[in-house]
Amino acid sequence: MEALADIAYGIFEHFLTSQFHARRMPLYRLVEEGTTFQEEFGEVYTRFEELYPDLALRLRERYQSPDQMYDLIIAGEGVTPSKTTQSYWIIQDAPETDPHATEDEKAGKWLIFLHPDLVDEMWKKIRDLTWQNELGISAKVSTAKNNPDSRDERRVIYVYTADWENEPEVMAVRERLRSIGIEDRIGYKRNIETFKGEYAAKGKRVTFYSA
């Protein structure tokens, strides 16, 4: 039951973010600026309930009311990695990005591994640049929710580009990351390898670019 509730909340949080994204109201900005959006939150929840009644049922089994979920979000859930314990990832798309663009076989991502103490500050920089159309098509970050698939305590930020073959664009994103403090060598992984289930191991490299 807990696993189903986890899945339901993760889908709801992504749905919520995408709905505010479509309104040009990024969720993080509403939270960090202290804007009250409880009415809009309620509208999105009602829409989610209509579209996904089985998932909404799982949410009601875990949370006393939508108000409880709203209170979690304004406290940083789904906005700040270290304060997010209900879902494994926070996602930020660029304004014109198709929600499925990061799933395209042509896409790929820079991988940035950070100590948990450093991830909040760096995520904020990357998230803001993504929303301002100054980085890639999307970014996502792992959170404080314990992930059984994690290999160590580090957090990871993915910064996506639309086409791994467009090397100038891929490297322009790398340079922008360097300008905000990502100076150590990092790798770029194509979706091709991800879809094949290929992951780094001793003696095996799966990144296509490294810079």
Side-chain angles (χ1 to χ4, degrees):
M1 295 293 286
E2 281 299 304
L4 290 174
D6 281 348
I7 293 169
Y9 186 85
I11 294 172
F12 171 73
E13 197 166 87
H14 183 66
F15 182 80
L16 177 70
T17 301
S18 66
Q19 291 296 301
F20 280 105
H21 177 105
R23 303 179 190 193
R24 295 295 190 269
M25 299 164 60
L27 186 63
Y28 76 82
R29 187 171 293 172
L30 295 171
V31 172
E32 293 179 351
E33 292 179 355
T35 303
T36 299
F37 58 98
Q38 193 161 9
E39 182 177 344
E40 293 87 348
F41 177 89
E43 292 171 359
V44 173
Y45 181 85
T46 299
R47 181 62 176 154
F48 182 83
E49 201 170 31
E50 293 169 349
L51 292 172
Y52 310 106
D54 292 341
L55 295 176
L57 175 61
R58 300 303 177 194
L59 293 178
R60 289 196 298 273
E61 290 172 350
R62 172 175 286 186
Y63 305 101
Q64 295 178 359
S65 68
D67 289 345
Q68 184 184 3
M69 297 166 62
Y70 175 80
D71 289 343
L72 283 172
I73 289 166
I74 62 173
E77 173 68 38
V79 174
T80 304
S82 66
K83 296 179 180 178
T84 298
T85 60
Q86 304 295 301
S87 56
Y88 295 116
W89 298 95
I90 301 172
I91 299 170
Q92 180 61 58
D93 292 332
E96 304 303 326
T97 295
D98 183 291
H100 304 293
T102 59
E103 300 166 16
D104 193 286
E105 194 173 75
K106 296 282 286 183
K109 56 187 176 284
W110 287 106
L111 312 174
I112 305 160
F113 293 92
L114 297 167
H115 188 276
D117 291 344
L118 303 176
V119 75
D120 285 357
E121 181 181 356
M122 185 54 67
W123 170 245
K124 188 172 183 179
K125 293 177 182 178
I126 288 173
R127 173 202 71 191
D128 290 356
L129 288 175
T130 301
W131 180 251
Q132 294 161 14
N133 272 322
E134 296 180 22
L135 203 58
I137 60 171
S138 183
K140 75 177 187 177
V141 60
S142 59
T143 69
K145 182 174 176 62
N146 184 42
N147 190 334
D149 294 330
S150 296
R151 298 184 181 185
D152 54 46
E153 70 171 359
R154 294 179 299 171
R155 304 286 185 258
V156 62
I157 300 175
Y158 296 160
V159 178
Y160 288 87
T161 71
D163 184 357
W164 62 265
E165 290 184 298
N166 187 340
E167 187 172 353
E169 180 182 84
V170 171
M171 290 304 168
V173 170
R174 177 65 188 98
E175 286 307 306
R176 194 69 177 96
L177 290 171
R178 196 186 313 278
S179 75
I180 60 171
I182 306 297
E183 298 178 352
D184 292 342
R185 183 172 292 275
I186 58 175
Y188 180 96
K189 187 177 181 182
R190 304 180 300 177
N191 276 0
I192 295 170
E193 281 74 37
T194 300
F195 294 162
K196 289 179 180 177
E198 296 182 7
Y199 294 92
K202 187 175 182 180
K204 179 183 179 182
R205 194 183 106 182
V206 296
T207 52
F208 190 77
Y209 298 111
S210 179

